[in-house]
Amino acid sequence: MVLITYCLLRARKNVSFVLRNLHQTLPNHGRPEKRRVVITGLGVVSPVGCNVDTAWRTILDGQSKIGRLEGESYDKLPCRVAATIDKKDIDLENCFTKTELKTMARATAFALIAAKEALTTAGWTPSIEDENACQRTGVAIGMGMVDLMDICETNEALKKGYNRVSPFFVPRILPNMPAGQLSIRYGFRGPNHAVSTACATGAHSIGDAFRFIQHGDADVMVCGGAEACISPLGIAGFCRLRALSTAFNDEPALSSRPFDKQRDGFVMGEGSAIFVLEELQHAKGRNAPIIGEVLGYGLSGDASHLTAPREDGTGAILAMKRALADANLSPADVGYVNAHATSTPIGDAIEARSIRTLFGEHAQTMAVSSTKGAHGHLLGAAGNLEAMFTLLACKNGTLPPTVNLEHVTDDMKGLHYIANRSEQWESNRRRIALKNSFGFGGTNACLCIGEYSE
């Protein structure tokens, strides 16, 4: 018995010695170094443009692309404005066959078009025969909510007979179908992921894809969000929540006005923006164009209310703090915050307060804007579209404006808002920004995005 005890103690001592020495030899206290993740491709279908160059130019010009909703179905609704995709810019019937359109929702079609531009920009379309490349490429694309009219029309069809229900009805309304359709189309067999976190969907999708690459689950991720749910029922539902703007039906271009004194609710938009994220050495190895870098990702929950953020802004503060901690940065390193700011009276004020609280005196010199004044609120595709503009600001050194921002109320002062006209981002160091996205249910996401630096 004594001999057995002695052997066990000696073995435990030897194991402790090995573990202690292993801990000393590994970097970052035993954890492997995080892999750097860069952005090599962008694509977009949006109210402000259906390619990246056009969308960015429209944003910098301070143009609002919000219009009036026409049709008898909208005439009796309190809100009659929205930011829609002009058929002149994208005609889905020219982009897909009739058979293909039967299998996909409008949002899925937008995602596929945006993804094609992003993959072309990145120069990443490996053939299906290249098994390793396809197996190391994943997809993370989400939707905030499905097209409610698809459900209503199918219900009417069912009343006429079971055989009138399309066999593609269920696939059309599943939120993971943009990711699924894209994966099938290109043969990508890495992570196949779909987020549905209301208005934080697009930011969560990019953040999750960032983590997949960091942790070695993939070398390339095609990610973002898509949304197309503008309909009489969708508008009516949000109106009943008192969430939409109703004061500018006769002047649609003025209706979305983040941070402005006259803001009275958000304006619904539709579209998609897609990113190609890539592990740095993988991108360098194939001489890919590097547009910028994802530096950090933060998440939090309000645990407070179904639709309203916490009054003290702690949910937003936690998400921003965690994104900075993940990037190993301090608030003083940030030069720009692209705010979630949807143009609601409560939400914009709470976000402004949270930015002031986190950044302190630095908040007075750091730039803040929301591009929703130009393109409205794309719900599940908001965070990714606005992350694209945040990235382009870092890359090009130009700050996008908040359209229709004329008068800031006293409770939101203390920030340097970029209003109506773009400004040059004067900086003698690396340009770094935060992109905030918050959703119903109290879900918050923050991306830290930076200019690419060796």
Side-chain angles (χ1 to χ4, degrees):
M1 186 68 185
V2 173
L3 180 60
I4 293 172
T5 305
Y6 172 81
C7 290
L8 288 173
L9 289 172
R10 187 64 181 264
R12 188 170 65 180
K13 184 176 181 181
N14 289 338
V15 170
S16 298
F17 176 82
V18 170
L19 290 174
R20 186 166 61 251
N21 281 277
L22 181 63
H23 176 81
Q24 291 170 353
T25 56
L26 285 174
N28 196 25
H29 299 293
R31 295 186 299 273
E33 291 291 337
K34 291 179 180 178
R35 306 200 314 165
R36 288 179 66 182
V37 180
V38 295
I39 301 140
T40 58
L42 292 173
V44 67
V45 173
S46 77
V48 291
C50 292
N51 61 70
V52 173
D53 289 341
T54 299
W56 181 233
R57 188 166 57 250
T58 302
I59 288 295
L60 293 185
D61 287 346
Q63 298 179 42
S64 170
K65 292 297 181 178
I66 295 169
R68 183 179 173 85
L69 288 168
E70 302 291 347
E72 189 176 328
S73 299
Y74 293 104
D75 288 345
K76 295 182 180 180
L77 298 180
C79 173
R80 295 186 293 280
V81 296
T84 58
I85 307 295
D86 195 324
K87 196 171 182 179
K88 296 176 185 175
D89 295 328
I90 290 289
D91 187 346
L92 297 183
E93 293 180 359
N94 292 333
C95 300
F96 303 96
T97 67
K98 288 183 179 180
T99 301
E100 286 174 326
L101 287 175
K102 286 180 181 179
T103 70
M104 65 179 75
R106 183 175 168 87
T108 298
F110 289 157
L112 291 176
I113 295 169
K116 183 178 180 180
E117 181 185 10
L119 289 164
T120 301
T121 303
W124 186 250
T125 49
S127 66
I128 294 176
E129 288 74 25
D130 188 348
E131 284 205 16
N132 185 61
C134 287
Q135 289 177 10
R136 299 293 297 168
T137 301
V139 180
I141 302 174
M143 284 171 55
M145 59 186 284
V146 299
D147 183 354
L148 299 178
M149 289 308 296
D150 212 345
I151 297 172
C152 291
E153 289 168 3
T154 302
N155 186 58
E156 290 302 313
L158 178 60
K159 291 177 182 178
K160 297 176 182 177
Y162 160 76
N163 289 330
R164 297 291 187 95
V165 175
S166 167
F168 298 111
F169 168 62
V170 171
R172 283 172 62 93
I173 64 170
L174 291 176
N176 73 313
M177 277 302 154
Q181 290 263 16
L182 184 67
S183 173
I184 292 166
R185 179 164 294 228
Y186 292 97
F188 297 150
R189 299 196 294 277
N192 189 322
H193 186 59
V195 179
S196 186
T197 49
C199 305
T201 295
H204 275 137
S205 297
I206 295 170
D208 289 354
F210 164 67
R211 292 270 173 88
F212 289 148
I213 295 175
Q214 271 195 328
H215 295 169
D217 296 307
D219 294 325
V220 180
M221 289 294 300
V222 185
C223 57
E227 200 77 81
C229 56
I230 297 171
S231 67
L233 181 56
I235 296 290
F238 279 110
C239 280
R240 290 291 289 160
L241 278 175
R242 298 185 179 180
L244 297 184
S245 172
T246 59
F248 297 91
N249 289 329
D250 296 327
E251 299 176 286
L254 302 181
S255 57
S256 182
R257 39 199 321 114
F259 298 120
D260 186 72
K261 184 178 181 179
Q262 294 187 70
R263 68 190 187 279
D264 72 320
F266 73 79
V267 176
M268 287 179 68
E270 63 179 1
S272 177
I274 300 295
F275 282 53
V276 176
L277 303 189
E278 196 163 343
E279 191 274 325
L280 175 60
Q281 296 308 318
H282 186 278
K284 281 185 170 182
R286 64 182 193 87
N287 295 315
I290 297 178
I291 305 168
E293 185 171 0
V294 182
L295 302 173
Y297 174 40
L299 309 86
S300 73
D302 280 347
S304 176
H305 191 272
L306 280 177
T307 60
R310 288 185 69 96
E311 289 189 11
D312 59 6
T314 53
I317 292 169
L318 283 172
M320 289 187 285
K321 285 179 71 173
R322 289 167 180 169
L324 288 173
D326 190 40
N328 197 27
L329 296 170
S330 71
D333 294 314
V334 176
Y336 170 57
V337 173
N338 185 289
H340 179 67
T342 61
S343 188
T344 58
I346 295 174
D348 291 14
I350 291 174
E351 186 175 9
R353 188 183 312 138
S354 69
I355 294 170
R356 277 201 315 267
T357 300
L358 177 61
F359 288 93
E361 292 183 3
H362 181 54
Q364 298 177 24
T365 54
M366 177 189 68
V368 177
S369 72
S370 168
T371 56
K372 288 186 176 77
H375 52 67
H377 186 14
L378 271 65
L379 307 179
N384 47 311
L385 177 65
E386 293 154 28
M388 185 184 84
F389 297 135
T390 306
L391 169 66
L392 293 173
C394 292
K395 181 179 185 294
N396 299 316
T398 308
L399 295 162
T402 306
V403 176
N404 296 321
L405 179 51
E406 297 171 358
H407 302 288
V408 177
T409 53
D410 289 340
D411 62 336
M412 293 197 301
K413 289 181 178 177
L415 298 176
H416 173 52
Y417 296 102
I418 308 299
N420 298 305
R421 295 177 182 172
S422 61
E423 293 183 14
Q424 289 304 115
W425 187 343
E426 303 293 344
S427 179
N428 55 7
R429 57 180 179 168
R430 187 181 189 187
R431 290 188 285 268
I432 294 172
L434 293 184
K435 167 63 212 152
N436 287 336
S437 283
F438 314 132
F440 282 178
T443 181
N444 308 303
C446 181
L447 296 168
C448 183
I449 296 170
E451 177 184 14
Y452 173 64
S453 173
E454 291 285 351

